[in-house]
Amino acid sequence: MANTTLADPDSGLTPAQVAARHGLRVAGERPSLRRYSGELWRYRHFVAAYANAKLTASFSNARLGQLWQVLTPLSNAAVYYLIFGVVLEQSRDIPNFIAYLTTGLFIFNFTQTTVQQGTQAISGNLGLIRALHFPRACLPLAITATQFQQLLGSLLVLVGIVVVTGEPITLMWLMLVPAVLLQTVFNAGLTMAMARLGAKASDLKQVMPFVLRAWMYGSGVLYSVELFSNNLPGWAVGIVQFNPMLVYIELARTALLEQAPLLNDSLLLTWLIAAGWAVVMGIGGYLFFWRGEQEYGRG
């Protein structure tokens, strides 16, 4: 009787070749940038739902609930106004110092809080990462979306402060929309970069409050930006004017306040710097985070 035994089609192949023949991939392998971006887009509803859940949960145990997202920056503004406006008399050189200070605090707080939470986007969600398969960029993007929602509530209060303190409503207010959108893209990229760094260095969250405090003082949040040009050499002023947070704060103040002191007299250059930071940090932070995709949740 003839031998009808079929030859093994995988015989003679290496394990890697067998895996490739059957469409198997290494567990945790980093996908191509195109495929990763496609997966991230398909998970956009998860990002939105996760952001809403985090926003609700963050104030669930507080009696005043989400009202704290406005009360916190307002309380900070009151303290800083007492110190810088009354004690140090910064209000003498700035028309409508209350609105000037509040605008700077609200805009800076958007980036500050996003970055602080971004350092723990991976390390604080290891259980979720190890249990489910999804693009890890969803986590820092959800943090950005959560803080953006909080900013919208803060901006409503800010507009009320600006009007009550005597600023007229003008078409310049429309500039606030693209300024905030550019800052949001910048925040998203920076948060993704900090998420990867925070996943590698757990002590980063201890260092960030000091870094962010220094960044705040260097961004003209609490005092007139004219102090930079009055007290720094020309080359240092040139560097300071490229500080992304100073740029986004200046755009917001230019939009809402009639007589806001500016470090850079060229509004067009300020817009170009703001757009440049959004593009560089948005794309750069995304690529930096994607390159570490296979590392998250291991170890």
Side-chain angles (χ1 to χ4, degrees):
M1 185 174 180
N3 187 1
T4 58
T5 303
L6 298 177
D8 184 359
D10 294 334
S11 62
L13 299 179
T14 64
Q17 291 172 328
V18 173
R21 183 175 184 274
H22 293 279
L24 302 179
R25 297 193 305 270
V26 177
E29 180 185 37
R30 183 181 67 207
S32 67
L33 182 61
R34 181 176 180 179
R35 184 158 63 89
Y36 187 74
S37 300
E39 290 180 358
L40 189 59
W41 173 252
R42 288 192 291 273
Y43 275 84
R44 64 190 183 278
H45 302 298
F46 167 74
V47 173
Y50 188 62
N52 291 331
K54 285 182 66 67
L55 181 62
T56 302
S58 61
F59 298 103
S60 61
N61 295 324
R63 181 168 297 181
L64 296 179
Q66 295 187 19
L67 190 59
W68 280 110
Q69 66 181 310
V70 175
L71 291 178
T72 300
L74 280 178
S75 301
N76 290 332
V79 172
Y80 287 129
Y81 176 77
L82 177 63
I83 297 174
F84 289 89
V86 178
V87 178
L88 299 180
E89 298 183 337
Q90 287 296 312
S91 57
R92 291 182 306 175
D93 303 321
I94 304 176
N96 198 354
F97 181 71
I98 294 177
Y100 182 89
L101 173 66
T102 309
T103 301
L105 282 172
F106 278 32
I107 295 299
F108 185 82
N109 185 70
F110 177 32
T111 295
Q112 179 184 42
T113 309
T114 305
V115 171
Q116 279 183 322
Q117 295 188 11
T119 58
Q120 302 179 67
I122 300 299
S123 58
N125 292 283
L126 290 179
L128 182 63
I129 290 172
R130 291 167 178 170
L132 300 174
H133 172 74
F134 61 93
R136 308 316 188 198
C138 290
L139 297 174
L141 288 178
I143 290 174
T144 306
T146 301
Q147 295 306 315
F148 179 74
Q149 293 180 62
Q150 293 196 11
L151 176 68
L152 294 180
S154 299
L155 289 180
L156 293 177
V157 177
L158 176 60
V159 167
I161 293 174
V162 168
V163 172
V164 168
T165 53
E167 295 291 336
I169 300 175
T170 67
L171 290 177
M172 289 289 289
W173 282 30
L174 297 176
M175 289 174 46
L176 187 62
V177 176
V180 168
L181 292 178
L182 288 175
Q183 185 188 4
T184 302
V185 175
F186 170 82
N187 285 357
L190 182 57
T191 303
M192 284 188 281
M194 297 309 300
R196 182 178 177 184
L197 294 176
K200 290 176 173 286
S202 58
D203 290 338
L204 184 62
K205 65 179 181 180
Q206 308 298 334
V207 178
M208 287 309 299
F210 301 100
V211 175
L212 291 169
R213 190 174 300 120
W215 197 7
M216 180 179 69
Y217 288 127
S219 301
V221 175
L222 309 173
Y223 42 76
S224 174
V225 294
E226 292 177 338
L227 291 177
F228 292 124
S229 56
N230 294 339
N231 296 280
L232 294 177
W235 62 268
V237 174
I239 294 175
V240 169
Q241 73 178 4
F242 283 90
N243 175 354
M245 283 316 304
L246 185 145
V247 169
Y248 293 124
I249 290 172
E250 283 204 325
L251 289 179
R253 285 169 172 165
T254 302
L256 298 175
L257 310 179
E258 272 197 317
Q259 302 181 51
L262 298 175
L263 181 63
N264 189 345
D265 294 331
S266 174
L267 187 59
L268 176 59
L269 178 59
T270 304
W271 276 108
L272 291 176
I273 295 173
W277 272 115
V279 172
V280 170
M281 186 55 70
I283 296 177
Y286 178 62
L287 292 177
F288 180 69
F289 185 89
W290 162 72
R291 290 184 63 85
E293 179 73 11
Q294 74 278 9
E295 306 168 3
Y296 306 135
R298 296 189 175 187

